[in-house]
């Protein structure tokens, strides 16, 4: 049709004819303005264009197959760009032609993931915030508040959610719900093992590696306590010849209000400034009292009465008490609370406590007296104390939140808590400074000041450590770790592997909705090679989402083999004998603007 139109236009121009625009039910091509389209010259019998846009829309937009890689080093991906390049090379051998894309900085990357806009394969990972398997599995695969329609959980339906890559499996979500409310740990363990098998059979994600995260320090540093869960402990750190400890990291914090973020670089800072009712024992996963002296459950475990620590002050001089606890939990739970802002996403509260408002398993937090609160639950919740101790449920000063409003936790305000350190300043992309809280209820820290310095490049960060510009860092490339182990003035400390690096599918991609294509990706990637080249002796290939450290890990799962030929065979069976370089967006799944 287009060629015919051009010939007609050329003929009319040569003859000097004046064209008159005519109405037409044909949608013109971009090169052919409607005002110049002579409808009379387009016989109806040869007119397929009216149907083409509808057919294209039904089929979905074609886009290049993209692998998005993380812009920062994290403990589960020590060298993300290099690992992505290795994955792309592996995928090419198996018939997948992927283009690599760096999608902005860390906050942007996490935001695109949350909004479901990483349309392809994308790298991400998870570091456990408590030692309960619910923290790994329910957060990603459990019910969201919108899924819970009515009072009968068996009728709930897991809907595709943007931030989970649009993956939805109601059977998995319902089993996770049953495990969360079951007080019998052996029965819960069997349920989580079953969930791991279901996720494996469905190839929901490609589990890549667990990493016994190495941290490297100057020999002048002592007293650092790595935590398998949550933020490490800095209050006991000392540095010979200095009252300042400078810690190098690969990326900046996203926000310093822990209730609205999910990234470890934010929690690393807020964990020094803010405290929760419980914390985890040093170096372990057992929840122990912190701002609460104890929390005691009734027989049905539907009510928990917490006795609060007295004489504790927030950094702004206001009192920590029952009112402060209730203020924080109401703010997180109730979407109509004046400090639960629409611009903020309280992801962890929704997933760890089952939703907001009436869907939250916490139906109320009641004041018994100034230093006693009662949590009332709609059902028993086995990991209640473990959840209570998580970094994102640390208690902020109500006065500070009210004063800063929506800006609480941003560079101009920072967090205000009860912890061993006080916030001083945040120069975005460069450093965050905190200082000792001399009035800390559990005794002043050993170091006067801590500076978290951003050095994005792994090698540059290690060179800064060697030069004495920083005194510690998390994660170094394999070659630098070898050098650190051999150096007299450096030492390596490891954090137990409570993490998993994974490769996720966007289920907006029609081709990824076919499990044969997903399995083809699984067999295409040489995960053992990735571990050997980028994790060294500290890493291990992941067969489950749950690391072996967590009960519920399923040792019986038969792992995917590295087999590019099998990948090509699976692709051919799925209808792609020539491989995949272009994929299709499902027009029925659209991210919200």
């Amino acid at each position: 049709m287009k060629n015919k139109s051009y010939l007609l236009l050329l003929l009319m121009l040569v003859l000097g004819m004046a064209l008159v625009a005519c109405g037409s039910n044909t949608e013109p091509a971009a090169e052919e303005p409607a005002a110049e389209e002579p409808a009379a010259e387009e016989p109806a019998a040869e007119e397929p264009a009216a149907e083409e846009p509808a057919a294209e829309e039904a089929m979905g937009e074609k886009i290049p197959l993209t692998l998005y890689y993380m812009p920062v080093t994290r403990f589960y991906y020590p060298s993300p760009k290099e690992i992505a390049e290795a994955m792309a090379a592996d995928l090419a051998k198996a018939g997948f032609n992927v283009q690599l894309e760096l999608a902005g900085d860390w906050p942007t990357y996490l935001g695109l993931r949350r909004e479901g806009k990483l349309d392809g394969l994308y790298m991400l990972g998870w570091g456990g915030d408590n030692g309960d398997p619910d923290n790994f599995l329910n957060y990603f695969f459990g019910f969201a508040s919108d899924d819970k329609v009515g009072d009968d959980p068996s009728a709930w339906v897991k809907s595709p959610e943007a931030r989970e890559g649009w993956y939805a499996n109601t059977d998995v979500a319902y089993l996770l719900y049953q495990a969360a409310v079951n007080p019998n740990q052996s029965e819960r363990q069997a349920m989580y093992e079953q969930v791991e098998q279901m996720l494996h059979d469905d190839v929901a994600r490609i589990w890549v590696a667990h990493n016994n995260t190495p941290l490297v320090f100057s020999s002048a540093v002592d007293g650092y306590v790595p935590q398998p869960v949550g933020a490490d402990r800095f209050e006991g750190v000392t540095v010979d010849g200095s009252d300042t400890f400078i810690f190098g990291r690969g990326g900046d914090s996203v926000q310093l209000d822990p209730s609205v973020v999910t990234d470890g670089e934010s929690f690393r800072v807020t964990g020094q400034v803010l405290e929760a009712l419980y914390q985890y024992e040093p170096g372990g996963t057992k929840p122990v009292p912190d701002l609460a002296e104890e929390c005691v459950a009734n027989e049905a475990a539907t009510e928990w009465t917490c006795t609060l620590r007295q004489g504790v002050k927030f950094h702004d001089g206001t009192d920590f008490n029952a009112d402060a606890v209730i203020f924080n939990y109401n703010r997180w739970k109730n979407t109509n609370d004046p400090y639960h802002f629409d611009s903020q996403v309280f992801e962890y509260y929704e997933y760890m406590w089952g939703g907001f408002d009436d869907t939250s398993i916490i139906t109320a937090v009641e004041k018994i007296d100034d230093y006693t609160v009662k949590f009332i639950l709609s059902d028993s919740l086995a990991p209640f104390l473990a959840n209570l101790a998580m970094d994102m449920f640390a208690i902020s000063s109500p006065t500070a939140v009210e004063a800063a409003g929506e800006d609480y936790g941003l560079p101009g305000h920072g967090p205000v808590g009860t912890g061993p350190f006080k916030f001083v300043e945040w120069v975005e992309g460069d450093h965050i400074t905190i200082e000792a809280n001399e009035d800390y209820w559990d005794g002043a820290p050993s170091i006067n000041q801590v500076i978290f310095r951003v050095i994005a490049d792994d090698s540059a960060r290690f060179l800064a450590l060697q030069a004495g510009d920083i005194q510690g860092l998390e994660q170094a490339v394999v070659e630098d770790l070898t050098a650190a182990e051999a150096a007299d003035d450096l030492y390596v400390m490891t954090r137990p592997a409570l993490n998993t690096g994974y490769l996720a599918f966007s289920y907006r991609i029609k081709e990824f909705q076919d499990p044969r294509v997903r399995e083809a990706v699984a067999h295409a990637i040489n995960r053992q090679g990735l571990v050997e080249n980028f994790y060294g002796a500290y890493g291990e290939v992941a067969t489950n989402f749950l690391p072996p450290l967590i009960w519920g890990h399923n040792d019986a799962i038969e792992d995917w083999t590295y087999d590019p030929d099998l990948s090509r065979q699976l692709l051919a069976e799925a209808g792609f004998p020539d491989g995949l370089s272009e994929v299709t967006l499902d027009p029925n799944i659209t991210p919200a603007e």
Side-chain angles (χ1 to χ4, degrees):
M1 182 188 78
K2 188 180 291 187
N3 290 338
K4 183 175 180 181
S5 298
Y6 278 126
L7 288 173
L8 287 169
L9 287 169
L10 181 60
L11 178 61
M12 286 186 286
L13 287 170
V14 171
L15 294 174
M17 297 175 63
L19 296 176
V20 179
C22 299
S24 172
N25 62 359
T26 303
E27 185 173 336
E31 301 91 337
E32 302 174 283
E36 299 181 0
E37 183 70 40
E41 301 297 332
E42 301 289 341
E46 300 178 7
E47 187 65 67
E51 297 179 5
E52 284 177 359
E56 273 187 27
E57 183 179 347
M59 293 179 63
E61 177 188 354
K62 292 286 187 180
I63 61 172
L65 176 56
T66 301
L67 169 55
Y68 298 92
Y69 64 92
M70 294 164 40
V72 299
T73 295
R74 296 292 291 135
F75 42 84
Y76 44 76
Y77 273 130
S79 302
K81 182 176 184 291
E82 292 77 9
I83 291 175
E85 290 170 343
M87 286 181 175
D90 285 344
L91 288 163
K93 296 174 187 175
F96 294 93
N97 181 19
V98 302
Q99 68 176 29
L100 296 179
E101 184 168 333
L102 178 64
D105 58 12
W106 189 222
T108 301
Y109 190 87
L110 293 175
L112 291 170
R113 187 273 308 187
R114 182 185 302 115
E115 296 160 8
K117 295 178 181 177
L118 295 177
D119 292 322
L121 295 162
Y122 60 91
M123 295 166 58
L124 209 57
W126 186 255
D129 301 290
N130 68 48
D132 195 282
D134 181 80
N135 175 236
F136 273 76
L137 292 164
N138 195 40
Y139 177 85
F140 282 87
F141 303 108
F143 287 120
S145 56
D146 291 344
D147 303 323
K148 302 174 181 180
V149 181
D151 297 328
D152 181 9
S154 65
W156 295 346
V157 176
K158 176 70 177 171
S159 58
E161 288 190 86
R163 70 179 199 83
E164 301 311 329
W166 306 98
Y167 178 78
N169 188 320
T170 297
D171 292 338
V172 166
Y174 185 53
L175 192 54
L176 288 172
Y177 166 77
Q178 291 175 302
V181 300
N182 190 333
N184 186 305
Q185 182 164 321
S186 63
E187 293 178 3
R188 293 183 74 213
Q189 178 164 338
M191 291 176 183
Y192 291 124
E193 290 176 0
Q194 184 180 347
V195 165
E196 287 283 19
Q197 187 66 60
M198 293 165 72
L199 293 173
H200 177 86
D201 293 345
D202 204 22
V203 200
R205 303 279 193 277
I206 309 299
W207 316 124
V208 176
H210 310 299
N211 194 19
N212 291 281
T213 312
L215 301 105
V216 188
F217 296 95
S218 161
S219 57
V221 175
D222 193 18
Y224 188 98
V225 179
Q227 291 288 94
V229 296
D232 291 341
R233 306 286 285 273
F234 281 54
E235 59 263 37
V237 170
T238 59
V239 180
D240 282 351
S242 177
D243 62 359
T244 298
F245 174 49
I246 306 174
F247 188 86
R249 54 193 189 143
D252 205 354
S253 301
V254 173
Q255 229 264 29
L256 296 183
D257 174 0
S259 64
V260 298
V261 292
T262 63
D263 70 296
E265 290 301 350
S266 295
F267 298 138
R268 191 196 301 277
V269 178
T270 63
Q272 318 308 319
V273 177
L274 302 166
E275 297 174 297
L277 298 185
Y278 269 59
Q279 63 173 319
Y280 303 105
E281 63 182 355
T285 62
K286 180 183 177 182
V288 295
D290 196 9
L291 287 178
E293 293 181 338
E294 66 172 354
C295 290
V296 179
N298 65 357
E299 186 175 353
T302 56
E303 294 182 1
W304 288 80
T305 301
C306 297
T307 303
L308 306 180
R309 196 174 298 279
Q310 299 187 32
V312 176
K313 296 277 189 181
F314 289 105
H315 300 153
D316 57 11
T318 58
D319 291 329
F320 165 75
N321 53 29
D323 292 329
V325 174
I326 292 169
F327 175 92
N328 279 266
Y329 275 87
N330 283 347
R331 176 194 173 216
W332 306 329
K333 171 183 180 286
N334 299 320
T335 56
N336 63 354
D337 187 276
Y339 300 100
H340 186 114
F341 297 104
D342 290 341
S343 64
Q344 298 174 334
V345 182
F346 296 80
E347 286 186 50
Y348 266 112
Y349 186 92
E350 180 178 12
Y351 276 80
M352 302 317 298
W353 302 110
F356 301 119
D357 301 318
D358 293 340
T359 63
S360 173
I361 199 168
I362 299 176
T363 61
V365 185
E366 297 181 349
K367 179 178 179 179
I368 305 303
D369 58 41
D370 284 346
Y371 293 98
T372 311
V373 295
K374 179 185 290 186
F375 288 83
I376 300 175
L377 311 183
S378 60
D379 207 338
S380 61
L381 184 66
F384 177 80
L385 291 179
N387 286 6
L388 214 62
M390 293 168 69
D391 286 322
M392 62 293 309
F393 304 130
I395 306 298
S396 290
S397 161
T399 301
V401 174
E402 290 169 348
E406 205 164 353
D407 293 334
Y408 178 73
L410 295 179
H413 292 272
V416 179
T418 60
F421 293 94
K422 300 178 180 181
F423 172 81
V424 176
E425 69 170 355
W426 180 3
V427 178
E428 289 183 276
D430 188 81
H431 72 275
I432 292 173
T433 302
I434 58 177
E435 66 182 10
N437 175 12
E438 298 295 338
D439 299 321
Y440 181 49
W441 61 266
D442 199 26
S446 303
I447 198 82
N448 286 342
Q449 190 177 71
V450 177
I451 299 174
F452 301 89
R453 177 152 292 155
V454 177
I455 306 174
D457 182 78
D458 296 336
S459 296
R461 194 162 61 253
F462 186 71
L463 287 172
L465 178 64
Q466 289 179 308
D469 296 332
I470 61 176
Q471 287 84 47
L473 60 83
E474 180 176 277
Q475 204 53 261
V477 299
V478 171
E479 295 82 1
D480 290 339
L481 286 170
T482 301
E485 289 164 346
D488 293 333
D489 59 346
L490 300 175
Y491 67 94
V492 179
M493 179 183 289
T494 58
R495 180 186 298 113
L498 198 72
N499 61 75
T500 306
Y502 62 80
L503 187 64
F505 304 95
S506 169
Y507 288 81
R508 279 192 78 205
I509 303 298
K510 281 192 170 184
E511 290 78 3
F512 290 160
Q513 295 169 10
D514 187 330
R516 293 171 296 186
V517 175
R518 303 198 297 271
E519 187 176 350
V521 174
H523 288 291
I525 296 174
N526 183 358
R527 292 173 295 136
Q528 184 61 48
L530 295 178
V531 167
E532 291 173 359
N533 289 317
F534 300 106
Y535 296 79
Y538 300 99
E540 59 183 303
V541 172
T543 62
N544 287 215
F545 189 23
L546 293 175
L549 183 64
I550 297 185
W551 54 273
H553 177 92
N554 189 341
D555 291 324
I557 285 177
E558 185 176 345
D559 196 16
W560 301 298
T561 56
Y562 170 53
D563 192 339
D565 291 335
L566 178 55
S567 294
R568 288 185 177 275
Q569 178 185 326
L570 288 163
L571 276 178
E573 291 174 4
F576 306 103
D578 299 323
L580 268 180
S581 60
E582 191 177 57
V583 289
T584 314
L585 287 176
D586 188 334
N588 299 311
I589 302 178
T590 307
E593 294 299 329

